[in-house]
């Protein structure tokens, strides 16, 4: 199958191609991102998406059970016996009628794609199965990443569950997302704590991979994005193969938004959809590079000829001002998104938009998501806060169908949740001083009671 898939530089003036099994992060000629490209003419692609429904009957087979690989004809870079799956992608699209009024949508029109149900608790598993499969095809025995977040949790989870590769995780000693680090440790990933920050860890992991031949599971990996396309296949599946009007997704390193756009480009090319949803990418105002570049600087895909000077100028100014990403939504606390150009392609193809939402609105939206019985981590709630913003602006209409992607589980990052619900006034402001969170309109406060039944019954009846 290998000769029907290859890698190609996204820059149309370069367009250099590479073998499927080459392990590269970027085009060695021009430094641009790489795509996985398929020779669809020579591949066996189903005539309609409903074809995939027959896979549901085969759930005892790992490939058909996987929420990624049961769509394998749309991700055809690996032979079935090469695929490394641990049962990722068992997620759901939930109609959220109780949340629709908060967002400003008519009942029946808001859907939440809950990716917290993945084995490691975030959408990253969709991509990790793709990259692990590629790593195995290349003969790798060890895979490494620098991350204090969900990527390392997912990597360690895959290594442990498959037993086929060893996970090496580099973390800086600065900001470590504790809940996520606990996963890497518990799954048995070899966790190297480096004296330095995340950027140091990232630089060292690259050097270590160069020197030892470890497979680098970084955010540039195009095979991760291949797996993440499946999130869109499942959203379509949840809607009976009818594309929604909008997909709203948080934007950090912009891998998801890039993968979603590629999914729709290919689905349209294959004649499997007749309408493309618009994709809204939501930054936090504390890490809003994409929003600024697109909305203020007018940066565009421009048929692949992105104006690098605009990006360079923007980053130079950011360095000059020593502007650091800072947001309560730690998973999107990124100021130099590596998949920027691919995301521009998504926006171009889907008629997409970008917005930045403040941390206050992210945590308010998160509390409202919780009331639906689906908890999510702060970054995930940016999608719901963003949909609400776009509704308020009249960009999204109340009668349009909107799918918000909830990227990670509530329990990933419980500190902000507990602070939001239990603190008041100055205490809350103090705890959240870094994040511009001052109020908690949707808090569900724990009710104090003395240790006697009367007090407890009173607390139950009267609440906080
Ligand atoms: C990684 C991550 C994001 C950001 O996704 P990108 O693909 O990097 O834009 C958002 N939310 C959660 C929970 C994540 O783990
Ligand atoms: Zn190139």
């Amino acid at each position: 199958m290998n000769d029907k898939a290859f890698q190609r530089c996204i820059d149309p003036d370069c367009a250099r191609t590479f073998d499927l099994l080459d392990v590269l992060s970027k085009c060695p000629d021009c430094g641009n991102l790489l795509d996985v490209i398929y020779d669809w003419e020579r591949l066996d692609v189903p005539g309609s998406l409903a074809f995939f429904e027959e896979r549901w009957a085969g759930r005892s087979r790992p490939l058909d059970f996987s929420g990624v690989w049961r769509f394998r004809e749309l991700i055809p870079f690996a032979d079935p016996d090469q695929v490394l799956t641990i049962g990722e992608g068992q997620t759901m699209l939930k109609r959220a009628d109780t949340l629709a009024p908060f967002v400003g949508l008519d009942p029946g029109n808001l859907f939440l794609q809950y990716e917290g149900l993945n084995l490691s608790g975030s959408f990253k598993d969709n991509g990790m199965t793709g990259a692990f499969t590629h790593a195995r095809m290349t003969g790798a025995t060890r895979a490494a990443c620098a991350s204090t977040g969900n990527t390392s949790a997912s990597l360690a989870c895959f290594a442990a569950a498959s037993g086929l590769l060893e996970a090496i995780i580099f973390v800086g000693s600065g900001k470590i997302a504790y809940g996520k680090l606990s996963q890497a440790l518990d799954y048995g990933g070899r966790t190297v704590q480096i004296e330095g920050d995340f950027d140091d860890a990232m630089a060292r992991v690259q050097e270590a991979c160069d020197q030892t031949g470890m497979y680098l599971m970084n955010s540039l990996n195009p095979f991760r994005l291949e797996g993440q396309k499946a999130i869109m296949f499942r959203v379509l599946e949840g809607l009976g193969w009818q594309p929604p009007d909008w997909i709203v997704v948080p934007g950090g390193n912009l891998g998801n938004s890039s993968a979603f756009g590629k999914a729709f480009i290919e689905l349209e090319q294959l004649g499997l959809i007749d309408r493309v949803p618009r994709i809204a990418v939501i930054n936090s105002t504390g890490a809003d590079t994409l929003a600024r570049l697109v909305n203020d600087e007018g940066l565009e895909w421009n048929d692949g000829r992105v104006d690098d000077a605009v990006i360079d100028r923007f980053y130079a100014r950011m360095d000059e001002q020593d502007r650091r990403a800072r947001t309560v939504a730690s998973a999107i606390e990124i100021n130099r998104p590596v998949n920027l150009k691919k995301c521009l392609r998504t926006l171009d193809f889907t008629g997409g938009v970008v917005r930045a939402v403040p941390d206050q609105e992210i945590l308010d939206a998160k509390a409202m998501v919780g009331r639906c019985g689906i908890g999510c981590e702060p970054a995930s709630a940016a999608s719901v806060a963003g949909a609400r913003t776009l509704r308020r602006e009249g960009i999204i209409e109340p009668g349009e169908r909107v799918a918000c992607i909830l990227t990670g589980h509530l329990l990933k990052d419980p500190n902000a949740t507990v602070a939001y619900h239990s603190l008041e006034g100055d205490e809350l402001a103090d705890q959240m001083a870094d994040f511009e969170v001052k109020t908690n309109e949707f808090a569900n406060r724990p009710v104090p009671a003395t240790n006697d039944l009367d007090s407890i019954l009173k607390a139950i009846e009267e609440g906080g």
Side-chain angles (χ1 to χ4, degrees):
M1 184 172 286
N2 283 358
D3 65 326
K4 295 173 193 161
F6 57 96
Q7 303 182 68
R8 188 173 72 199
C9 174
I10 64 164
D11 184 331
D13 296 324
C14 172
R16 184 169 164 198
T17 60
F18 305 90
D19 191 85
L20 185 65
L21 297 182
D22 286 348
V23 181
L24 297 161
S25 291
K26 288 180 165 190
C27 173
D29 282 0
C30 71
N32 273 301
L33 297 165
L34 301 173
D35 267 331
V36 180
I37 302 287
Y38 302 107
D39 186 355
W40 294 112
E41 306 278 294
R42 292 166 59 227
L43 285 158
D44 207 9
V45 184
S48 111
L49 288 170
F51 162 86
F52 294 103
E53 293 168 14
E54 73 187 39
R55 295 272 155 80
W56 298 338
R59 292 173 69 82
S60 58
R61 292 189 292 270
L63 242 61
D64 289 354
F65 181 78
S66 165
V68 173
W69 298 105
R70 61 192 165 85
F71 299 102
R72 53 191 171 271
E73 285 80 0
L74 302 175
I75 313 169
F77 70 84
D79 286 327
D81 60 1
Q82 295 172 313
V83 167
L84 199 159
T85 172
I86 65 170
E88 62 288 327
Q90 298 303 312
T91 66
M92 67 175 180
L93 186 76
K94 183 181 155 86
R95 201 174 111 175
D97 286 354
T98 53
L99 190 62
F102 173 77
V103 173
L105 289 166
D106 296 341
N109 283 344
L110 178 65
F111 298 84
L112 302 174
Q113 176 67 17
Y114 186 39
E115 291 297 313
L117 287 175
N118 276 289
L119 274 95
S120 83
S122 86
F123 79 83
K124 296 293 195 300
D125 291 2
N126 293 281
M128 203 50 72
T129 187
F132 251 72
T133 295
H134 183 251
R136 185 154 74 147
M137 288 163 68
T138 67
T141 55
R142 285 178 155 176
C145 75
S147 155
T148 58
N150 285 326
T151 299
S152 52
S154 183
L155 173 57
C157 182
F158 268 78
S162 70
L164 287 169
L165 284 174
E166 196 186 349
I168 315 285
I169 285 148
F170 284 47
V171 296
S173 53
K175 280 182 297 183
I176 296 167
Y178 223 61
K180 301 172 188 181
L181 177 64
S182 70
Q183 289 184 288
L185 297 175
D186 221 32
Y187 296 139
R190 173 149 313 197
T191 306
V192 184
Q193 262 180 312
I194 297 163
E195 288 177 33
D197 63 9
F198 172 79
D199 292 332
D200 296 320
M202 190 69 227
R204 296 297 90 71
V205 77
Q206 273 167 324
E207 289 165 10
C209 286
D210 284 348
Q211 188 155 331
T212 62
M214 286 191 296
Y215 186 94
L216 182 58
M217 289 287 177
N218 66 5
S219 317
L220 300 166
N221 189 310
F223 296 92
R224 276 175 60 181
L225 302 198
E226 287 308 293
Q228 285 167 220
K229 293 190 309 194
I231 301 169
M232 290 301 99
F233 306 153
R234 298 200 298 272
V235 167
L236 293 176
E237 181 178 57
L239 294 172
W241 312 113
Q242 293 302 311
D245 297 293
W246 289 90
I247 303 284
V248 189
V249 60
N253 252 329
L254 306 177
N256 248 350
S257 46
S258 297
F260 296 177
K262 187 169 188 281
F264 288 117
I265 290 170
E266 291 171 348
L267 288 173
E268 188 184 63
Q269 188 188 343
L270 294 168
L272 293 171
I273 48 170
D274 50 22
R275 203 163 53 83
V276 174
R278 298 178 71 183
I279 295 185
V281 185
I282 312 301
N283 281 162
S284 159
T285 47
D288 58 354
T289 292
L290 180 73
R292 288 183 191 226
L293 280 172
V294 169
N295 297 334
D296 303 345
E297 309 291 331
L299 191 69
E300 288 177 333
W301 171 241
N302 192 25
D303 291 324
R305 293 177 181 88
V306 178
D307 191 343
D308 284 307
V310 172
I311 303 172
D312 294 344
R313 223 172 28 236
F314 184 84
Y315 286 152
R317 203 160 56 231
M318 199 163 76
D319 287 343
E320 244 167 58
Q321 299 170 350
D322 198 23
R323 200 165 64 233
R324 309 266 163 172
R326 199 81 190 106
T327 165
V328 72
S330 58
I332 54 173
E333 189 178 62
I334 294 169
N335 260 353
R336 290 174 186 266
V338 300
N339 287 298
L340 172 63
K341 288 190 184 178
K342 285 185 178 176
C343 177
L344 295 174
R345 178 172 66 187
T346 292
L347 296 171
D348 180 76
F349 180 74
T350 70
V353 298
V354 185
R355 289 293 181 274
V357 292
D359 283 356
Q360 179 71 59
E361 292 179 24
I362 289 175
L363 287 191
D364 288 340
K366 190 181 107 53
M368 292 304 289
V369 170
R371 301 284 175 97
C372 297
I374 289 187
C376 67
E377 64 172 283
S380 312
S383 61
V384 173
R388 193 175 187 223
T389 300
L390 290 165
R391 229 341 263 124
R392 212 188 289 133
E393 292 177 4
I395 310 277
I396 295 180
E397 303 282 341
E400 291 188 304
R401 291 211 300 177
V402 178
C404 291
I405 312 301
L406 298 182
T407 44
H409 199 282
L410 166 71
L411 298 175
K412 288 282 190 177
D413 203 352
N415 298 19
T417 307
V418 174
Y420 181 91
H421 286 295
S422 52
L423 300 180
E424 283 183 82
D426 289 349
E427 259 188 330
L428 179 71
D430 276 359
Q431 178 90 13
M432 295 281 171
D434 284 345
F435 305 128
E436 308 270 326
V437 174
K438 297 196 166 50
T439 63
N440 49 358
E441 190 183 343
F442 305 104
N444 174 33
R445 289 201 179 77
V447 190
T450 54
N451 188 12
D452 68 85
L453 193 56
D454 280 350
S455 169
I456 290 165
L457 292 179
K458 189 159 167 276
I460 292 171
E461 292 313 324
E462 293 174 10

